[in-house]
Amino acid sequence: MTNIIIRKVAVLGAGVMGAQIAAHLANAKVPVVLFDLPAKEGPKSGIALKAIENLKKISPAPLGTPELAAFIEPANYEEHLDVLKECDLVIEAIAERMDWKHDLYKKVAPVLAPHAIFATNTSGLSITKLSEGFDADLHARFCGVHFFNPPRYMHLVELIPTAATQPQYLDQLETFLTVTLGKGVVRAKDTPNFIANRVGIFSILAVFKEAEKFGLGFDVVDDLTGSKLGRAKSATFRTADVVGLDTMAHVIKTMQDNLNPQNDSFAENYATPAVLKALVEKGALGQKSGAGFYRKEGKIIKVLDPKSGEYVESGGKADEMIVRILKKKDPAERLKLLRETDHPQAQFLWAIFRDVFHYVAVHLKDIADNARDIDFALRWGFGWNEGPFETWQAAGWKQVAQWIDEDIAAGKALSKEALPAWALGPDGARDGVHSAEGSYSASGSTLAPRSKLAVYQQQLFRAPLVGEDAPTGFNGGVTVSENDGVRIWHSDRADLNDVLILSFKSKMHTLGAEQLAGISDAIAMAEKDYRGLVIWSPSEPFSAGANLESMMPVFMQKGVKGIEEVVNVFQQTMMKIKYAQVPVVAAAQGLALGGGCETLLHSARRVVHLETYMGLVEIGVGLLPAGGGLKELALRAANDAKGGDILQFLKNSFMLPAMATVSKSALEARKLGFLTESDTIVFNTYNVLNVALREAQALSAGGYRPPLKSRAIPVAGRSAIASIQGQLINMRDGGFISAHDYKIGSMIATVMCGGEVEAGSLVDEQWLLDLEQKAFCELVTNPKSQERIMGMLQTGKPVRN
């Protein structure tokens, strides 16, 4: 197999999408050149320079750390076209104007490298029409590559070929997008708005229509169509505000311009909703203009009243009866109740389900190779927990199809077109579209299997799909031991089954007695029969920390002595991780807070997804880290000092637990010191486990030995404690922290500086652990800390006191 090497990438267009695509390339250590027009004043590359500088200010941050902006090279079309000869991939990302894109292509095509892949990041323009005028060679290397906004965080990238695009270039690009940039790639047909925007925007238009029909306000609809429905928390109208109402109107117009009753029976539904049109016309474009469907006035969020056109206080909620229906675990019962319940909110929800089911069934043949691609596009591009075909199949394919058919006949659906024969008959649907053999392809009347590209062999468990019944991280592999708290298992692949895996099963993967015992058991098993141990859970988060709720009964029954016992078990479990005779590799994604962060700190290596957020946040609940986290930070400071002034290295480390700092990416976690240069950052979440298992094998093959236990750790002592306390006093007196924050901060300083000893005193790890335990137990009995603990347990939000 020929290696796929993308040495350098050019992004044409320094607007919002172009700049952020460049930022994500920089995150992945891909050299990138960002082009734009020559500036009329100042440096010729001033437009690109300004865009690069702006990347440091945007939220959510497109860059893993602001410093990465320095690795994006600014350029302009007047001075730097020759740079394109050095690029293996060129991504055009200018405004959605066919004529502008054609003008740019004429300028850059002559200087593209003969092997370079040329791609356009368009959200819906015809790739075939964009390629008009290309010679045969460039035609073969041209395709659409539609990133979703924001590119760093959205998993979906749609890959759209023309009839002339050669397969090898698509395979190369899909491999690069999947491994290097961490994306979920869906191949779409060259139809207006492709897959995700075509179905996603239709689903939003259906929400507009059905909400108006059933008389529901925008805030009520958002409460119904967000997390309660298994979709993005921002739901429908808040999402529109975030995306930009002008952007949404543009995507709708693409559908209006290219789809009509002759080629789409739903065409009349693509009319721009009157309320959306009015908002755009008056410049209320959503979040970027300060008003859209919602407007924030001070701390109050107001919602648009469509009848009066005024903003009123937002408070509309889903009816409790509807909430209870949505909580039903059986999808068939849930959908049946929505259809049969005589309540406008229930009827609305059934209607929007029906509308989308109807739409994807009718258009499957035209817009996607198979049903799987539609489901993944909606999941990865619009934040749905399940795609429309998955939901339909889980609720009982034949029954739901019958209901849809009845609604079409009764004139309740948004189109009069009947469900296609395959959806009602035995041709391919049977009991659904997804099965172990593949997903139904309406264009081929067959089941399409998953892609066999080599890149996907790195994913032990590919993205799951309802109905496919493939093993997942929850049930795949071979279970060695399992209880309510943990699963200990190994892969069933012969090349990976020599490393044990431990997965937490608790809510938010918190660490309690069962999880700690499970870690100890897994280490003992690994030392006896395996080459290493990987701590990994198949869903986010890695771990939200210690199980505070389980500590409270212990405290009530045994008092401080009981808490001492709990802390001791936690500390000794972390020490077992650190000093295990086989390598323990922590494989993390999502939150790794408190005890979860301490688990990572004690592991031999860390393999983490880019979107891993690490922090020692115990101060938020009135406590301090006591599972060895402060000890590890103190050790790292002492090692970095190399016999010099430890305090200079300790100050930054101290601020991490004292301010409950949480990294905003794995790249920032490395910068903060939670991760080391030897730790691996993986961009695709589905690759994390495989990389971690390989890392454990490599360490073992290299003759892994745990670190030697140091009995002579230099500490900063009482003078450093006093210095840090002086800084804390200034923060307290300036109103930046509370008196109780000052108290906890002082205790953190005492632990990390080694207690009331002389500077340079030598201690061992147990000394630092004992200081952690003593301080933790003192805080547990403090009324202020107890207020914070109870506040967090009751509301899930930190109490500031």
Side-chain angles (χ1 to χ4, degrees), residues 261-334:
Q262 282 68 50
N263 59 17
D264 190 336
S265 64
F266 289 82
E268 67 180 46
N269 298 286
Y270 302 150
T272 306
V275 63
L276 176 62
K277 185 178 180 181
L279 286 168
V280 172
E281 286 176 350
K282 69 179 183 181
L285 306 180
Q287 189 169 281
K288 59 188 171 186
S289 68
F293 290 104
Y294 294 89
R295 186 173 73 191
K296 193 172 183 180
E297 298 180 6
K299 293 185 177 181
I300 299 173
I301 295 176
K302 291 190 172 183
V303 65
L304 182 68
D305 177 359
K307 293 179 181 178
S308 67
E310 301 296 324
Y311 288 91
V312 298
E313 283 204 35
S314 173
K317 296 285 184 183
D319 187 277
E320 274 305 311
M321 176 177 64
I322 308 304
V323 173
R324 288 196 296 273
I325 292 175
L326 293 176
K327 286 182 178 178
K328 297 283 186 183
K329 290 185 178 180
D330 180 7
E333 181 185 10
R334 194 161 58 237

Side-chain angles (χ1 to χ4, degrees), residues 616 624-625 628-638 646-647 649-658 713-717 720-721 724 745-755 763 767-768 771-772 775:
L616 297 170
L624 51 64
L630 299 183
K631 178 258 301 179
E632 284 299 304
L633 293 182
L635 276 172
R636 292 183 182 188
I646 299 172
L647 179 59
F649 293 89
L650 201 63
K651 280 182 177 179
N652 290 336
S653 297
F654 161 78
M655 293 303 291
L656 298 177
I713 303 163
V715 292
I721 296 171
I724 293 173
S746 295
M747 296 171 83
I748 291 171
T750 299
V751 174
M752 293 184 69
C753 294
V763 303
W767 174 273
L768 296 172
L771 289 173
E772 281 186 0

Side-chain angles (χ1 to χ4, degrees), residues 220-231 317-339 341 345-350 352-353 385-386 391:
V220 174
V221 169
D222 275 355
D223 196 46
L224 286 165
T225 60
S227 53
K228 291 183 177 69
L229 211 61
R231 298 183 183 175
K317 296 285 184 183
D319 187 277
E320 274 305 311
M321 176 177 64
I322 308 304
V323 173
R324 288 196 296 273
I325 292 175
L326 293 176
K327 286 182 178 178
K328 297 283 186 183
K329 290 185 178 180
D330 180 7
E333 181 185 10
R334 194 161 58 237
L335 216 56
K336 183 175 186 291
L337 286 171
L338 289 176
R339 186 171 189 268
T341 300
Q345 292 183 15
Q347 290 297 299
F348 161 77
L349 288 172
W350 158 249
I352 64 171
F353 275 122
N385 287 354
E386 287 181 355
T391 303

Side-chain angles (χ1 to χ4, degrees), residues 159-392:
L159 197 55
I160 312 102
T162 70
T165 310
Q166 290 299 302
Q168 69 265 30
Y169 294 111
L170 291 172
D171 291 349
Q172 288 175 12
L173 188 50
E174 182 167 349
T175 297
F176 174 74
L177 292 166
T178 302
V179 176
T180 306
L181 299 189
K183 297 305 173 186
V185 175
V186 165
R187 296 199 184 188
K189 294 187 178 183
D190 189 12
T191 54
N193 288 344
F194 314 127
I195 298 175
N197 275 345
R198 176 79 173 268
V199 179
I201 293 299
F202 168 78
S203 75
I204 292 173
L205 290 170
V207 168
F208 270 103
K209 279 185 170 289
E210 304 294 0
E212 184 178 11
K213 176 180 176 181
F214 292 103
L216 304 182
F218 299 128
D219 49 357
V220 174
V221 169
D222 275 355
D223 196 46
L224 286 165
T225 60
S227 53
K228 291 183 177 69
L229 211 61
R231 298 183 183 175
K233 189 177 180 181
S234 53
T236 303
F237 298 110
R238 286 186 194 278
T239 296
D241 275 358
V242 172
V243 170
L245 303 191
D246 53 339
T247 302
M248 177 171 288
H250 171 79
V251 178
I252 293 170
K253 189 173 187 306
T254 302
M255 297 171 81
Q256 294 166 1
D257 292 345
N258 295 281
L259 298 168
N260 54 60
Q262 282 68 50
N263 59 17
D264 190 336
S265 64
F266 289 82
E268 67 180 46
N269 298 286
Y270 302 150
T272 306
V275 63
L276 176 62
K277 185 178 180 181
L279 286 168
V280 172
E281 286 176 350
K282 69 179 183 181
L285 306 180
Q287 189 169 281
K288 59 188 171 186
S289 68
F293 290 104
Y294 294 89
R295 186 173 73 191
K296 193 172 183 180
E297 298 180 6
K299 293 185 177 181
I300 299 173
I301 295 176
K302 291 190 172 183
V303 65
L304 182 68
D305 177 359
K307 293 179 181 178
S308 67
E310 301 296 324
Y311 288 91
V312 298
E313 283 204 35
S314 173
K317 296 285 184 183
D319 187 277
E320 274 305 311
M321 176 177 64
I322 308 304
V323 173
R324 288 196 296 273
I325 292 175
L326 293 176
K327 286 182 178 178
K328 297 283 186 183
K329 290 185 178 180
D330 180 7
E333 181 185 10
R334 194 161 58 237
L335 216 56
K336 183 175 186 291
L337 286 171
L338 289 176
R339 186 171 189 268
E340 295 178 353
T341 300
D342 187 22
H343 187 291
Q345 292 183 15
Q347 290 297 299
F348 161 77
L349 288 172
W350 158 249
I352 64 171
F353 275 122
R354 177 205 61 221
D355 295 340
V356 175
F357 294 162
H358 187 193
Y359 191 80
V360 294
V362 167
H363 289 297
L364 173 58
K365 184 177 181 178
D366 305 320
I367 67 174
D369 176 64
N370 58 74
R372 175 179 55 247
D373 289 342
I374 287 182
D375 280 344
F376 281 155
L378 270 293
R379 278 167 49 176
W380 297 341
F382 277 77
W384 294 15
N385 287 354
E386 287 181 355
F389 282 121
E390 290 182 287
T391 303
W392 181 352

